[in-house]
């Protein structure tokens, strides 16, 4: 969930015509990032029950599976990292890659984790965590433990950072063979990953995992890995000019159909199985639209600006919702207008805090961690 995706590099072409580098900008992917963050926000509004009665039912019908936005982020993360890698990280380049990813996510994670502790102690917003869950959260390994105080401790949405940290660790290993073997390997990898995402819930049901099903289906990093690798494979196909999927309009229709189907499906299929085809097609189609200069509803200046603060919005919004919940003394279950007012207030506060965190924590924190130790200047890595 990084900032705007704008990659600049020299035009290079292999003998077989495969493009490996070009001066490009993919602003639509940044705009889409904001849409996914907003989906997750509205899902949490539904879970906390700002609305009551029939209004709550309508919100549930529209956003009850808004948490699939996390699946979108995982696919998009793999796509963006592969697209922005002019070369496969090797040797010390791998260390530099890890350093950049740490600098991207950790300052904001640390500050929001501290804010979560403050909310717990001052407002009673959430349960007071033990030392183990706090240590796991700060170490970005909380999603590996199948216990609620761990994978939902402190700032609950930070479980996805534990998954991302795992993805980052092995990203060079995933990218290297796809770059070496060419677009056919990427097409095969994409097919395998799509099959895995759709088939894993069925395997879980057949295996009978009732106690760990919620954790494994939603939070277990190894389970979510195919979504990330799918994004890498898609980026390589688009880079090679071999993407043959639908255009933006059809991809959006597939996305909406998968989203609707997810709301009707059994729980095990709601995390990604129903939506992954549409999300994958939408990401690749949006990238293609930007490359070809075709119209895109997510390329506007406002969409891109919101996309740039989407990571901060994602990380802070649940804390604002929790604070509001503690002030209400539980799930408020307001009427239509009361729920709309509460939602608007929480949204505005979350967006204002996201902007502040982006400007005063995320960006300066990244610059600080990437400064050269020898010269005191930003690292070029």
């Amino acid at each position: 969930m990084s900032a705007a995706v704008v990659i600049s590099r020299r035009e290079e072409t292999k003998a077989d015509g495969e493009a490996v580098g070009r001066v490009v900008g993919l602003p639509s992917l940044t705009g889409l990032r904001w849409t996914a963050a907003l989906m997750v926000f509205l899902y949490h509004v539904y879970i906390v029950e700002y609305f009551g009665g029939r209004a709550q039912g309508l919100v549930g019908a529209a956003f009850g599976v808004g948490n699939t936005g996390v699946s979108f982020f995982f696919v998009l993360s793999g796509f963006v990292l592969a697209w922005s890698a002019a070369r496969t990280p090797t040797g010390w380049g791998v260390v530099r890659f890890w350093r950049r990813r740490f600098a991207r996510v950790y300052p904001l994670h640390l500050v929001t984790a501290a804010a979560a502790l403050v909310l717990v102690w001052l407002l009673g917003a959430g349960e007071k965590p033990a030392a183990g869950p706090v240590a796991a959260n700060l170490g970005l390994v909380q999603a590996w433990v199948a216990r609620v105080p761990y994978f939902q401790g402190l700032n609950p949405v930070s479980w996805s950072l534990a998954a991302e940290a795992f993805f980052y660790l092995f990203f060079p290993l995933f990218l290297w063979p796809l770059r070496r073997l060419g677009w056919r390997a990427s097409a095969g990898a994409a097919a395998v990953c799509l099959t895995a995402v759709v088939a894993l819930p069925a395997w879980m049901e057949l295996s009978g995992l009732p106690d760990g099903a919620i954790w494994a289906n939603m939070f277990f990093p190894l389970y979510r890995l195919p979504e990330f690798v799918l994004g890498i494979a898609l980026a390589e196909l688009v880079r090679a000019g071999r993407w043959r999927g639908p255009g933006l309009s059809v991809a959006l229709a597939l996305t909406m159909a998968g989203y609707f189907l997810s709301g009707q499906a059994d729980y095990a299929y709601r995390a990604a199985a129903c939506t992954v085809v549409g999300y994958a097609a939408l990401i690749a189609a949006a990238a293609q639209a930007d490359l070809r200069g075709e119209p895109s509803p997510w390329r506007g200046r406002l969409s891109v600006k919101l996309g740039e603060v989407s990571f901060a919005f994602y990380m802070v919004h649940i804390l604002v919702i929790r604070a509001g919940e503690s002030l209400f003394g539980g799930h408020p279950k307001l009427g239509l207008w009361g729920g709309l007012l509460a939602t608007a207030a929480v949204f505005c506060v979350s967006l204002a805090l996201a902007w502040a965190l982006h400007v005063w924590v995320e960006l300066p924190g990244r610059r600080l961690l990437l400064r050269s130790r020898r010269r005191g200047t930003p690292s070029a890595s």
Side-chain angles (χ1 to χ4, degrees):
M1 300 190 52
S2 57
V5 185
V6 179
I7 302 95
S8 298
R9 52 182 177 267
R10 190 176 53 197
E11 177 75 32
E12 300 171 2
T13 306
K14 289 185 176 180
D16 62 0
E18 177 183 349
V20 295
R22 63 185 64 178
V23 178
V24 295
L26 302 179
S28 291
L29 298 189
T30 304
L32 278 168
R33 193 188 307 275
W34 166 253
T35 302
L38 187 60
M39 287 169 53
V40 177
F41 166 80
L42 292 169
Y43 167 77
H44 285 132
V45 168
Y46 164 69
I47 291 296
V48 176
E49 296 182 308
Y50 275 11
F51 296 85
R54 183 176 298 178
Q56 174 69 359
L58 293 174
V59 174
F63 305 111
V65 290
N67 57 332
T68 61
V70 177
S71 177
F72 182 92
F73 286 136
F74 287 158
V75 179
L76 182 64
S77 179
F79 190 103
V80 170
L81 289 179
W83 185 262
S84 60
R87 298 180 180 85
T88 305
T90 58
W92 282 107
V94 175
V95 177
R96 289 193 294 270
F97 168 79
W98 289 337
R99 181 187 177 195
R100 290 195 300 269
R101 300 322 302 166
F102 180 82
R104 169 69 70 186
V105 303
Y106 205 79
L108 204 51
H109 170 58
L110 186 63
V111 169
T112 52
L117 285 173
V118 170
L119 287 176
V120 168
W121 287 101
L122 293 184
L123 297 179
E127 297 183 4
K128 296 179 181 179
V134 171
N137 187 280
L138 296 179
L140 293 179
V141 295
Q142 69 271 35
W144 292 91
V145 184
R147 293 168 57 191
V148 173
Y150 281 82
F151 65 78
Q152 286 285 272
L154 288 184
N155 186 3
V157 299
S158 66
W159 73 267
S160 63
L161 297 188
E164 289 280 1
F166 171 64
F167 302 159
Y168 298 158
L169 187 63
F170 291 101
F171 169 74
L173 185 63
F174 302 141
L175 183 62
W176 184 82
L178 297 184
R179 287 271 171 94
R180 295 275 295 185
L181 298 175
W183 70 267
R184 290 180 178 84
S186 296
V192 169
C193 289
L194 279 173
T195 302
V197 173
V198 174
L200 276 171
W203 172 82
M204 283 180 55
E205 288 189 335
L206 293 174
S207 301
L209 301 173
D211 293 332
I214 294 178
W215 163 71
N217 187 53
M218 292 293 299
F219 306 104
F220 187 35
L222 193 60
Y223 185 100
R224 308 305 297 262
L225 180 62
E227 297 157 66
F228 177 76
V229 179
L230 172 61
I232 298 175
L234 289 174
E236 293 304 296
L237 287 173
V238 173
R239 180 197 303 276
R242 296 288 182 168
W243 170 250
R244 296 296 182 266
L248 203 53
S249 298
V250 175
L252 182 58
L254 285 173
T255 298
M256 297 303 295
Y259 185 85
F260 174 79
L261 179 63
S262 184
Q264 316 306 312
D266 292 340
Y267 180 83
Y269 297 88
R270 292 188 179 187
C274 295
T275 53
V276 66
V277 172
Y279 288 164
L282 185 61
I283 289 169
Q288 286 279 53
D290 283 349
L291 291 173
R292 296 171 178 172
E294 297 171 351
S296 167
W298 298 283
R299 197 185 299 142
R301 183 175 180 181
L302 179 60
S303 292
V304 173
K305 286 294 183 182
L306 289 172
E308 290 173 356
V309 302
S310 61
F311 178 38
F313 181 83
Y314 174 80
M315 292 296 291
V316 78
H317 80 272
I318 192 63
L319 301 181
V320 178
I321 289 176
R322 271 189 168 181
E325 185 183 6
S326 66
L327 294 175
F328 279 114
H331 294 199
K333 297 183 180 180
L334 304 171
L336 175 61
W337 295 110
L340 287 173
L341 183 61
T343 300
V346 169
F347 172 80
C348 291
V349 172
S350 298
L351 185 58
L353 288 175
W355 179 85
L357 288 169
H358 177 69
V359 172
W360 295 327
V361 174
E362 185 180 356
L363 296 181
R366 185 177 65 204
R367 287 194 294 266
L368 178 64
L369 291 175
L370 293 180
R371 290 183 74 85
S372 169
R373 293 183 178 180
R374 292 184 178 181
R375 299 181 181 179
T377 57
S379 171
S381 62

